[in-house]
Amino acid sequence: MSRFIEFQGGDVEAYLRSQEDKDLLRFITCGSVDDGKSTLIGRLLYEAKMLFEDQLSALEADSKRVGTQGGALDFALLVDGLSAEREQGITIDVAYRAFTTDKRKFIVADTPGHEQYTRNMATGASTADLAIILIDARKGVLTQTRRHSFIATLLGIRNVVVAVNKMDLMDYRRDVFEAIEEDYRAFAKNLGLEDFTCIPLSALKGDNVIDPSEVMPWYHGPTLMAHLESVPVGNETGDGAFRLPVQWVNRPNQAFRGFSGSIVEGRVKPGDEIRAVPSGRTSKVERIVTYDGDLDKAISGQSVTITLKDEIDISRGDVICAANSPLAVADKFETRILWMNDEEMLPGRPYLIKAGPLTIPGMFEAPKYKVNVNTLEHVAAKTLSLNEIGVVNLDLDRAIAFAPYGENRHLGSFIIVDRFTNNTVGMGLINFALRRAANIHWQAMDVNKASRAAKAGQKPTVLWFTGLSGSGKSTIANLVEKRLHAAGHMTYLLDGDNVRHGLNKDLGFTDADRVENIRRVAEVARLMVDSGLIVLVSFISPFRSERLMARELVEGDEFVEIFVDTPLSVAEARDVKGLYAKARRGEIKNFTGIDSDYEAPERPELRLDTTTLSPEEAAQEIIAHLTQAGRLTPDIPVTDPPGFQ
């Protein structure tokens, strides 16, 4: 039955008021697969009397039908709601449940133990005040135990309970419990986690969950529920300086303009002086508006709309701060990254960084190191793979207001989104801004791109040739450049093989190296366009993301993507350099088209079918396209000019 039913016929309003006055503890259960997380939460819900009669009846029926306890109540079924979870006996998604006791309200997140779903565990931990790390008494401390402990502390959780579960399967032996506690304490010390509570229990039998266990008289600590009801819940953001990230500029009519959002730190009242960041403009709070009326004050955690006495420019993503304590602003940071995608993180690849209300393009450098979650050793790395954690520098396209994650969870965290799939591929925490972000500025120059282009008498353009090895990119690009040069145009051809002899000779052919290869070339092409040149770039450039990055470095009408479309079978039949044969024999790894993907352009400005066009015809089609688009004068030679044979 539900706890509310106990108060029917009594003073219900008084009961509801008492519930509002209780503080709230958010906690997660985590650990390795089959450590008993769902069973523990089901036991807590059952013992807290938070089940209706129909839920209890459904649990009894499900326990007989799909349960794992021989017909007895299988408490895990209260939480494992997905059919796939019930079939496999594991938790896949994050399951949130709320319950209450006489002393406190709780929201618990049952997070997955399987390594494949570590990202879901991190999601649950991001809002938690306490973590229960479950350990199977039969197995002891495992890699996933260490990984979840590391993520929990990484996300700022300092209240940790180590629940050594399934003690009933080890005859409730004290030596088993103490050995596990000692092993975990040695690991936790390296995490900086000196103070945690270790409890031996059996979630299935109920030992030390609600009441002290009669079969473990040697344990004198608190039960799990007693600890959850008494652990201090501090408001870490309640006493700091005022911060409100603006989620919405509220303008229902000409007479009202407010700034809506949730206060993430501090408190505010009408008359307080504020400063908008990053603009730095100041004003005073006029009103604090809510659906239920104006407030005399507002504190951390409340969602409000603030109006100001002055008309100052504030946009979504800006942060309204206490005037005497504004946030710092930067665009380059050292960050800690948890990678959550099957495809590895590629340094130099543009991603979308979602920081609060803002979504900004950003790019990661190669990791400074990644962390071995078993030993906490710092390991050299060029990239990050699924579930790996590393320290990486982040470069954003624009400056943002921020606070280090250790000071404020909301202002120091972000998620990483793939630009093409819109999938969340990682999460990050800001350590600090890099000083170079404040010390490096654009230097104004009197001679600019327009003046250089005018002197050259041409429109600067990037002609980006992409296609498989052997498609004919370099041959066609060479023909185009000869004809442009003969017509008096200033050009330069960047060829993939040639560049790897110098600028990019330190790079290999892994996906990460290919991304860096194109990033460098795109930057060089941008500089050449700025100098007024027509630059021809002939690279396989297999990934759409990097080709989009190259396009975005120049103005919208300065980039022409030319897809030299040659089927793999045709390119391989040509095999002028013998590369495909070597790749087929396994002598060349990560070869595009064989064991590395090529992502064909979806909407190129020009597509050349080299199964029907000769190189000369393809070159002339490019010249015709550029002339028709007004980029070139119509007197470009149709054939190779003399002296270029």
Side-chain angles (χ1 to χ4, degrees):
M1 68 184 204
S2 79
R3 185 166 290 274
F4 177 73
I5 295 175
E6 298 177 15
F7 289 85
Q8 285 188 343
D11 191 346
V12 176
E13 291 186 1
Y15 169 71
L16 293 175
R17 285 195 299 271
S18 72
Q19 296 302 302
E20 292 178 356
D21 293 337
K22 291 178 183 178
D23 60 12
L24 172 67
L25 175 68
R26 294 177 177 267
F27 69 95
I28 62 169
T29 59
C30 50
S32 193
V33 175
D34 200 31
D35 280 343
K37 298 178 292 299
S38 299
T39 300
L40 177 61
I41 295 175
R43 168 67 71 174
L44 289 173
L45 294 174
Y46 178 78
E47 297 289 356
K49 299 181 180 180
M50 294 305 297
L51 303 179
F52 290 100
E53 295 295 341
D54 59 339
Q55 290 177 303
L56 190 57
S57 298
L59 174 62
E60 292 172 348
D62 287 345
S63 296
K64 294 177 181 178
R65 182 171 54 88
V66 296
T68 61
Q69 304 304 319
L73 290 181
D74 187 348
F75 294 110
L77 298 179
L78 288 171
V79 185
D80 287 344
L82 299 176
S83 60
E85 292 177 341
R86 295 191 174 193
E87 291 169 2
Q88 299 178 50
I90 63 172
T91 298
I92 296 175
D93 203 355
V94 181
Y96 293 93
R97 294 292 186 271
F99 65 98
T100 183
T101 67
D102 292 337
K103 297 181 179 180
R104 177 171 278 173
K105 294 182 290 186
F106 301 92
I107 296 177
V108 54
D110 179 27
T111 63
H114 198 284
E115 183 176 353
Q116 180 181 352
Y117 304 108
T118 297
R119 59 185 178 272
N120 293 346
M121 177 268 162
T123 300
S126 63
T127 58
D129 305 303
L130 179 145
I132 299 177
I133 310 289
L134 273 88
I135 298 176
D136 190 325
R138 302 168 298 172
K139 302 174 184 177
V141 178
L142 303 175
T143 296
Q144 194 70 336
T145 312
R146 296 186 178 95
R147 178 179 285 112
H148 283 184
S149 298
F150 184 77
I151 293 172
T153 56
L154 185 72
L155 291 169
I157 298 176
R158 289 301 169 187
N159 291 317
V160 173
V161 175
V162 178
V164 182
N165 192 26
K166 303 189 180 181
M167 288 295 294
D168 53 309
L169 300 180
M170 298 301 291
D171 298 326
Y172 302 102
R173 286 165 48 194
R174 180 175 185 172
D175 62 316
V176 171
F177 170 74
E178 291 179 344
I180 293 174
E181 181 180 19
E182 183 178 355
D183 188 14
Y184 187 87
R185 192 172 297 278
F187 172 75
K189 185 177 181 180
N190 294 326
L191 286 177
L193 184 63
E194 300 284 354
D195 185 20
F196 61 88
T197 301
C198 202
I199 303 174
L201 55 83
S202 169
L204 183 63
K205 304 293 185 182
D207 296 286
N208 284 336
V209 177
I210 304 295
D211 300 314
S213 172
E214 296 180 357
V215 293
M216 288 185 282
W218 44 266
Y219 173 71
H220 303 291
T223 64
L224 178 61
M225 181 59 80
H227 181 75
L228 294 177
E229 288 183 324
S230 61
V231 66
V233 181
N235 186 356
E236 61 182 358
T237 60
D239 298 326
F242 171 65
R243 278 93 171 83
L244 183 145
V246 176
Q247 297 179 2
W248 178 40
V249 179
N250 187 348
R251 194 72 184 268
N253 54 60
Q254 294 294 324
F256 185 91
R257 184 168 181 259
F259 306 100
S260 304
S262 295
I263 301 173
V264 298
E265 187 171 0
R267 57 195 70 221
V268 67
K269 63 182 184 301
D272 284 354
E273 293 188 1
I274 61 91
R275 185 183 302 271
V277 179
S279 72
R281 298 182 182 276
T282 59
S283 183
K284 289 185 177 181
V285 176
E286 186 173 49
R287 297 171 57 194
I288 304 173
V289 182
T290 71
Y291 179 81
D292 296 319
D294 286 12
L295 301 178
D296 294 331
K297 64 178 180 179
I299 62 172
S300 175
Q302 288 184 281
S303 295
V304 297
T305 296
I306 288 179
T307 66
L308 304 177
K309 292 187 177 180
D310 305 292
E311 287 285 339
I312 64 175
D313 185 19
I314 298 178
S315 304
R316 173 180 166 87
D318 292 353
V319 182
I320 300 175
C321 306
N324 60 356
S325 182
L327 287 169
V329 176
D331 59 0
K332 294 180 176 65
F333 306 93
E334 181 188 272
T335 67
R336 288 166 287 167
I337 300 298
L338 168 62
W339 196 249
M340 302 176 174
N341 198 46
D342 291 328
E343 294 185 7
E344 64 184 3
M345 183 200 82
L346 297 179
R349 166 167 287 184
Y351 294 97
L352 294 178
I353 306 301
K354 183 168 176 50
L358 290 174
T359 300
I360 313 166
M363 189 180 298
F364 294 100
E365 297 178 7
K368 293 183 175 180
Y369 60 83
K370 64 181 179 181
V371 179
N372 182 324
V373 295
N374 286 306
T375 64
L376 301 183
E377 175 187 9
H378 294 177
V379 180
K382 287 188 175 182
T383 184
L384 296 177
S385 300
L386 177 65
N387 294 333
E388 289 188 332
I389 299 165
V391 172
V392 189
N393 287 346
L394 169 64
D395 187 353
L396 297 177
D397 276 12
R398 54 161 284 192
I400 62 170
F402 78 99
Y405 185 83
E407 296 179 10
N408 189 291
R409 285 185 175 186
H410 303 277
L411 298 169
S413 60
F414 56 89
I415 63 173
I416 309 162
V417 179
D418 183 276
R419 297 204 304 173
F420 285 96
T421 65
N422 278 330
N423 290 334
T424 298
V425 294
M427 57 161 285
L429 315 175
I430 294 175
N431 287 342
F432 51 79
L434 299 175
R435 283 184 291 179
R436 69 186 189 201
N439 297 332
I440 298 177
H441 307 278
W442 283 103
Q443 180 65 41
M445 300 294 182
D446 293 329
V447 180
N448 58 24
K449 178 169 61 177
S451 61
R452 297 185 191 103
K455 187 173 182 65
Q458 62 188 25
K459 180 173 178 57
T461 304
V462 176
L463 303 180
W464 192 281
F465 294 78
T466 177
L468 293 171
S469 176
S471 62
K473 300 182 302 299
S474 296
T475 300
I476 297 170
N478 187 48
L479 289 170
V480 172
E481 187 185 26
K482 286 194 291 185
R483 297 175 189 181
L484 292 175
H485 182 80
H489 289 286
M490 302 295 293
T491 64
Y492 197 88
L493 173 56
L494 292 168
D495 181 78
D497 283 354
N498 293 348
V499 169
R500 281 186 177 273
H501 284 291
L503 176 66
N504 292 346
K505 66 180 180 180
D506 60 318
L507 299 177
F509 292 90
T510 64
D511 285 354
D513 283 343
R514 289 180 185 276
V515 168
E516 176 61 12
N517 184 45
I518 298 305
R519 188 195 69 80
R520 294 182 190 179
V521 169
E523 289 288 352
V524 171
R526 181 183 67 82
L527 292 173
M528 288 185 167
V529 165
D530 192 58
S531 72
L533 296 179
I534 297 174
V535 54
L536 301 88
V537 181
S538 176
F539 280 69
I540 295 174
S541 47
F543 303 129
R544 296 189 188 103
S545 182
E546 279 59 62
R547 296 196 299 266
L548 177 59
M549 176 269 297
R551 181 187 293 272
E552 292 175 344
L553 287 177
V554 296
E555 295 180 25
D557 62 346
E558 293 177 343
F559 192 93
V560 178
E561 186 176 38
I562 302 169
F563 177 29
V564 184
D565 188 0
T566 304
L568 176 61
S569 58
V570 175
E572 190 169 359
R574 294 172 182 170
D575 206 9
V576 178
K577 303 173 185 177
L579 301 179
Y580 283 100
K582 290 182 179 180
R584 292 293 186 188
R585 294 195 299 266
E587 297 174 14
I588 301 178
K589 301 296 183 184
N590 304 310
F591 193 81
T592 304
I594 304 300
D595 56 354
S596 184
D597 291 338
Y598 177 78
E599 299 173 356
E602 295 177 333
R603 290 180 295 275
E605 278 76 10
L606 200 57
R607 175 182 172 273
L608 304 175
D609 183 355
T610 61
T611 62
T612 61
L613 293 174
S614 68
E616 291 75 15
E617 291 170 331
Q620 184 54 34
E621 189 167 324
I622 294 171
I623 296 295
H625 174 85
L626 297 175
T627 302
Q628 185 177 3
R631 297 174 183 270
L632 301 175
T633 56
D635 56 351
I636 306 298
V638 175
T639 60
D640 289 348
F644 284 94
Q645 302 301 321

